[in-house]
């Protein structure tokens, strides 16, 4: 608005704005709820400032986190000084920055083939998918230092470690003290989305971002046994500092889920507690405010990392450190979790490998594509959980001993509404614990799918997922099942760079010609479940739902009224069945009053009508 002010007024306004920014920068932490003092054994992991390999975060007393350049200058020196570490680029961001990964192994051959030949479990951990949530980067740098030059080389005796310090590298450099107002440190935080404003943790199915394509390249090439995605929460206050997913929703990998619940979670909890931390499960307040109505465990879609891992039978842990805990505390807890995961895999890796193989060999004839909270009888949707205040009126299947923080409702003098004020006083209570565990929206598993060569973008993205396929070398005409889409609804605004669509798929059987270059995908493969989710149009994370087939809703040929009128009369004379159908249709007054609708109806019954209109072009083979 400065353009309407005179020069003196501009200077005054600029001075006021500058003063406000300085004030906010100096006292941002004062706006957050009070914090409980914390001390734990994990503080012994911090080295002194004169240590030759002190990390930038330690040097700042965990007040700040290093920039992209500072991070990799430090890591370059570390890798150059230790034969255990090797830095490689796994991709390039939209703004041209390398996405680096550190390969940590005592094997001489640190290539993907070399690590797989060693037969050791491979642990892949990534930080900074949301780059303001950067705890994992600084924890990983400390751990790599202690593996290279501390007393922790033995962690690599039975395990190989892959570490991505910053996944969203462009967002990491879009750094500011104002990026995450709900988070206690560091003082400079990156941005949630990438340079194209896309959220990498909504991209695991559609694969628009260079970052997720790079991660899937690592997964396909190295075949890790366990994958960890490290975040920081938003939302309510509680005592837990390190929370992470376990086996709350069994999904498509029941054996992996059992290992996560019975082995990973109790072992990790114990190690964190010993180090002075308070581990917990993933927590989402049922009323989106506090936990008085209970906790909700959602059925996340595979656009999210941990649900994607479940669908492709890769044990995946989503870590959510608590945003209101001090940065120092969060980083040290993450270090403990990373180190203990390496120790656990050295002992339990074979059991997880056996569980993974069992899940990869499952071939369920009918696949659930979403999960309900049984007591609510409605779809649990993480991105639109607006009506969960009703949770307090429903009897949950189980309860949770909740280590909470006391709070009170306070009336705002600004908005005249109530808001939660957190009081930094610990409280323990039993709360309802709702879990989206009831499978629903089942899809029958076909033998395979044919995708026309003209949809090369979809074929290429399926290849990036690692899905096996056959590219046919000559045209094939086949009897297949296909879907015609009815009652289509389109997103009102763009979401993650796409116009989403939903509709009712109606099954038809027809002969369809698939030209040379079309892809055939068998579902009898380890990623068969993933293929079903990506290619069935009723699934919310399918390529269809993300808008990759919007062209089927476009009509390109029409028939003029001077042709339809005489043709319609002839059609009614020639077909008593059509005449009866027309007469029934005209009983609908809304239809009968619309001449264009009547003409279009006759056009749709004629051989001139576009048979591809509303036809989803992927064929199912049963």
């Amino acid at each position: 608005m400065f353009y309407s002010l005179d020069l003196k007024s501009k200077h005054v306004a600029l001075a006021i704005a500058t003063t406000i920014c300085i004030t906010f920068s100096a006292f941002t932490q004062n706006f957050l709820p009070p914090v409980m003092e914390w001390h734990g054994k994990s503080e012994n992991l911090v080295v002194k400032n004169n240590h030759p390999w002190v990390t930038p975060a330690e040097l700042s007393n965990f007040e700040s986190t290093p920039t992209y350049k500072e991070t990799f200058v430090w890591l370059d020196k570390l890798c150059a000084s230790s034969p255990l570490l090797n830095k490689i680029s796994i991709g390039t961001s939209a703004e041209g920055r390398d996405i680096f990964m550190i390969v940590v192994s005592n094997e001489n051959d640190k290539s993907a083939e070399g690590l797989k030949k060693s037969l050791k479990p491979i642990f892949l951990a990534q930080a900074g998918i949301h780059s303001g949530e950067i705890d994992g980067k600084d924890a990983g740098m400390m751990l790599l230092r202690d593996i290279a030059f501390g007393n922790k080389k033995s962690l690599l005796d039975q395990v190989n470690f892959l570490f991505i310090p910053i996944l969203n590298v462009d967002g990491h450099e879009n750094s500011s003290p104002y990026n995450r107002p709900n988070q206690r440190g560091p003082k400079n935080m990156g941005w949630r989305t990438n340079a194209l404003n896309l959220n990498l943790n909504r991209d695991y199915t559609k694969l628009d971002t260079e970052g997720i394509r790079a991660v899937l390249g690592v997964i396909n090439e190295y075949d890790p046994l366990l994958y960890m995605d490290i975040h920081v929460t938003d939302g309510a206050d509680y005592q837990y500092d390190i929370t992470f997913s376990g086996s709350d929703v069994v999904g498509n990998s029941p054996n992996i889920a059992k290992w996560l619940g019975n082995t990973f979670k109790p072992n990790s909890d114990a190690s964190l507690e010993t180090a002075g931390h308070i581990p917990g499960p993933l927590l989402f307040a049922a009323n989106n405010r506090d936990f008085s109505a209970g906790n909700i465990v959602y059925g996340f879609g595979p656009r999210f990392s941990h649900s994607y891992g479940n669908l492709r039978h890769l044990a995946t842990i989503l870590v959510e450190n608590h945003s209101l805990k001090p940065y120092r505390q969060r980083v040290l807890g993450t270090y403990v979790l990373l180190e203990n995961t390496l120790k656990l895999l050295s002992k339990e890796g074979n059991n997880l490998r056996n569980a993974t193989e069992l899940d990869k060999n499952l071939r369920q004839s009918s696949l659930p594509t979403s999960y309900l909270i049984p007591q609510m009888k409605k779809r649990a949707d993480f991105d639109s959980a607006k009506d969960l205040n009703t949770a307090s009126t429903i009897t949950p299947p189980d309860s949770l001993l909740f280590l909470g923080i006391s709070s009170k409702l306070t009336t705002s003098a600004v908005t005249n509404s109530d808001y939660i004020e957190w009081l930094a006083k610990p409280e323990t209570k039993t709360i309802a614990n709702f879990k989206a565990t009831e499978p629903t929206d089942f899809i029958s598993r076909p033998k395979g799918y044919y995708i026309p060569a003209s949809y090369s973008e979809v074929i290429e993205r399926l290849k990036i997922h690692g899905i096996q396929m056959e590219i046919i070398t000559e045209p094939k005409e086949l009897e297949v099942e296909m879907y015609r889409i009815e009652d289509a609804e389109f997103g009102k605004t763009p979401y993650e760079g796409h116009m989403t669509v939903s509709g009712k798929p109606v099954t038809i059987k027809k002969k369809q010609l698939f030209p040379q270059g079309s892809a055939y995908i068998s579902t009898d493969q380890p990623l068969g479940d993933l293929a079903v989710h990506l290619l069935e149009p009723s699934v919310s994370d399918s390529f269809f739902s993300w808008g990759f087939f919007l062209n089927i809703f476009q009509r390109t040929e029409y028939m003029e009224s001077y042709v339809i009128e005489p043709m319609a009369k002839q059609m009614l004379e020639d077909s008593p069945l059509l005449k009866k159908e027309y007469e029934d249709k005209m009983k609908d007054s809304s239809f009968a009053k619309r001449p264009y609708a009547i003409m279009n109806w006759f056009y749709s019954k004629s051989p001139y009508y576009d048979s591809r209109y509303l036809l989803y072009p992927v064929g199912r083979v049963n």
Side-chain angles (χ1 to χ4, degrees):
M1 64 180 180
F2 285 174
Y3 64 84
S4 63
L5 303 177
D6 59 34
L7 187 60
K8 182 178 179 181
S9 298
K10 287 181 182 179
H11 288 162
V12 171
L14 184 59
I16 292 171
T18 302
T19 302
I20 290 172
C21 286
I22 292 171
T23 302
F24 270 67
S25 180
F27 299 106
T28 297
Q29 300 304 302
N30 291 344
F31 297 129
L32 295 175
V35 63
M36 295 171 56
E37 186 175 356
W38 174 83
H39 294 288
K41 290 182 180 179
S42 62
E43 290 178 294
N44 295 327
L45 297 168
V46 181
V47 299
K48 295 180 179 180
N49 286 356
N50 61 357
H51 190 284
W53 291 105
V54 61
T55 66
E58 290 171 303
L59 203 55
S60 74
N61 196 27
F62 297 94
E63 291 293 323
S64 64
T65 188
T67 65
Y68 173 90
K69 181 178 180 180
E70 291 166 343
T71 297
F72 290 108
V73 165
W74 189 93
L75 283 169
D76 281 343
K77 291 179 180 178
L78 188 71
C79 292
S81 303
S82 172
L84 300 176
L85 310 180
N86 185 31
K87 188 187 82 169
I88 62 172
S89 176
I90 59 172
T92 306
S93 73
E95 291 187 334
R97 295 182 178 90
D98 278 307
I99 303 167
F100 289 117
M101 181 172 77
I102 311 299
V103 181
V104 191
S105 173
N106 59 17
E107 299 294 322
N108 291 326
D109 184 356
K110 292 181 175 56
S111 68
E113 285 304 313
L115 296 191
K116 286 188 288 188
K117 285 179 181 177
S118 77
L119 301 181
K120 296 177 184 177
I122 297 176
F123 172 38
L124 168 62
Q126 71 188 27
I129 188 172
H130 295 156
S131 57
E133 307 166 21
I134 204 62
D135 306 13
K137 178 190 73 175
D138 289 314
M141 291 170 73
M142 293 172 62
L143 179 58
L144 296 187
R145 179 262 320 283
D146 294 341
I147 290 173
F149 295 110
N151 58 355
K152 298 186 177 179
K153 292 182 177 66
S154 62
L155 290 173
L156 304 180
D157 287 348
Q158 302 298 327
V159 184
N160 293 313
F161 182 28
L162 306 176
F163 178 60
I164 303 172
I166 311 168
L167 182 57
N168 179 9
V169 290
D170 294 344
H172 185 276
E173 294 308 277
N174 184 9
S175 180
S176 168
Y178 310 112
N179 279 354
R180 286 181 62 79
N182 306 313
Q183 182 174 305
R184 184 168 270 115
K187 66 182 181 182
N188 53 319
M189 290 179 263
W191 195 247
R192 176 182 293 266
T193 52
N194 71 358
L196 295 173
N197 202 30
L198 297 177
N199 187 332
L200 275 64
N201 202 28
R202 305 295 184 273
D203 194 42
Y204 277 83
T205 49
K206 59 185 176 64
L207 299 181
D208 288 335
T209 65
E210 294 83 359
I212 298 306
R213 289 181 177 219
V215 168
L216 292 199
V218 170
I219 290 172
N220 289 326
E221 188 177 5
Y222 287 83
D223 193 22
L225 188 60
L226 183 65
Y227 175 36
M228 182 178 288
D229 181 21
I230 304 169
H231 292 248
V232 179
T233 69
D234 295 305
D237 203 1
Y238 39 73
Q239 296 175 51
Y240 309 103
D241 54 359
I242 311 295
T243 69
F244 50 90
S245 63
S247 58
D248 296 316
V249 178
V250 172
N252 299 79
S253 299
N255 296 289
I256 290 174
K258 184 177 179 181
W259 185 90
L260 292 175
N262 295 344
T263 302
F264 183 87
K265 188 178 188 308
N267 189 284
S268 299
D269 284 351
S271 70
L272 284 161
E273 289 167 0
T274 299
H277 296 272
I278 305 178
L282 289 182
L283 295 161
F284 302 98
N287 58 12
N288 280 335
R289 187 166 65 177
D290 58 19
F291 288 87
S292 58
N295 180 54
I296 295 284
V297 179
Y298 294 98
F300 289 74
R303 68 186 66 174
F304 298 90
S305 61
H306 63 306
S307 293
Y308 177 78
N310 179 287
L311 188 56
R312 68 174 292 148
H313 314 304
L314 168 61
T316 304
I317 297 295
L318 170 65
V319 179
E320 289 281 2
N321 296 335
H322 190 216
S323 60
L324 294 177
K325 300 298 181 286
Y327 191 56
R328 175 190 182 93
Q329 180 179 352
R330 301 191 329 251
V331 169
L332 296 179
T334 306
Y335 180 117
V336 173
L337 183 60
L338 287 169
E339 179 184 10
N340 188 70
T341 301
L342 290 167
K343 291 178 179 178
L344 180 62
L345 284 176
S346 69
K347 299 175 183 177
E348 290 287 339
N350 285 336
N351 288 333
L352 177 56
R353 183 177 281 119
N354 292 337
T356 300
E357 287 304 310
L358 287 173
D359 287 337
K360 284 183 175 181
N361 289 318
L362 285 176
R363 300 291 185 266
Q364 294 172 286
S365 60
S366 186
L367 298 173
T369 58
S370 60
Y371 295 84
L372 301 180
I373 297 169
Q375 291 72 25
M376 293 185 180
K377 295 299 179 187
K378 72 188 303 307
R379 185 170 182 156
D381 186 352
F382 175 71
D383 284 329
S384 59
K386 298 177 180 177
D387 58 353
L388 295 179
N389 290 303
T390 58
S392 60
T393 66
I394 304 168
T395 302
D398 59 18
S399 58
L400 174 68
L401 185 64
F402 180 65
L403 304 181
I405 297 292
S406 62
S407 63
K408 67 178 181 180
L409 275 178
T410 301
T411 301
S412 168
V414 178
T415 65
N416 296 317
S417 61
D418 291 338
Y419 70 96
I420 292 289
E421 184 177 352
W422 300 102
L423 305 176
K425 297 178 181 177
E427 64 177 17
T428 300
K429 58 184 179 181
T430 300
I431 63 171
N433 195 27
F434 300 95
K435 296 182 179 180
T437 57
E438 183 175 306
T440 186
D441 298 334
F442 286 87
I443 295 288
S444 64
R445 183 192 205 95
K447 288 182 180 178
Y449 296 93
Y450 276 95
I451 306 168
S454 52
Y455 288 88
S456 57
E457 184 176 12
V458 170
I459 293 171
E460 286 305 309
R461 294 189 189 216
L462 289 164
K463 289 179 181 177
I464 295 170
H465 279 290
I467 291 172
Q468 300 166 17
M469 64 181 68
E470 173 196 353
I471 303 299
I472 62 175
T473 56
E474 58 183 28
K476 283 188 178 182
E477 187 174 38
L478 302 162
E479 184 81 27
V480 293
E481 276 188 355
M482 301 185 78
Y483 295 116
R484 202 168 292 279
I485 307 299
E486 296 181 354
D487 304 325
E489 294 185 9
F490 303 90
K492 294 180 181 179
T493 58
Y495 175 62
E496 291 298 321
H498 288 257
M499 293 301 297
T500 57
V501 61
S502 62
K504 177 184 176 183
V506 177
T507 303
I508 61 172
K509 290 185 177 182
K510 68 188 302 285
K511 278 190 175 182
Q512 186 73 8
L513 178 66
F514 293 94
Q516 176 183 342
S518 297
Y520 175 68
I521 294 174
S522 169
T523 64
D524 185 15
Q525 60 171 296
L527 297 184
D529 291 359
L530 177 60
V532 172
H533 276 249
L534 293 173
L535 294 174
E536 288 290 338
S538 62
V539 180
S540 61
D541 265 318
S542 66
F543 285 121
F544 171 86
S545 297
W546 279 113
F548 284 85
F549 295 90
L550 292 178
N551 53 300
I552 71 171
F553 299 101
Q554 177 179 319
R555 290 172 55 187
T556 55
E557 293 289 353
Y558 301 87
M559 185 176 283
E560 299 289 351
S561 59
Y562 58 76
V563 177
I564 292 179
E565 287 290 347
M567 185 182 72
K569 292 177 183 178
Q570 187 65 48
M571 290 169 68
L572 291 174
E573 291 175 6
D574 292 345
S575 175
L577 288 176
L578 182 67
K579 183 177 181 181
K580 176 66 168 59
E581 187 178 353
Y582 165 70
E583 290 170 347
D584 291 341
K585 190 77 175 171
M586 291 295 287
K587 293 175 184 177
D588 180 352
S589 58
S590 63
F591 175 78
K593 292 177 181 178
R594 291 183 294 136
Y596 180 80
I598 297 170
M599 287 191 294
N600 192 57
W601 185 83
F602 277 102
Y603 180 30
S604 70
K605 300 295 182 179
S606 78
Y608 300 100
Y609 197 68
D610 184 1
S611 63
R612 296 176 299 175
Y613 180 53
L614 304 181
L615 181 70
Y616 179 59
V618 175
R620 283 171 47 105
V621 180
N622 291 314

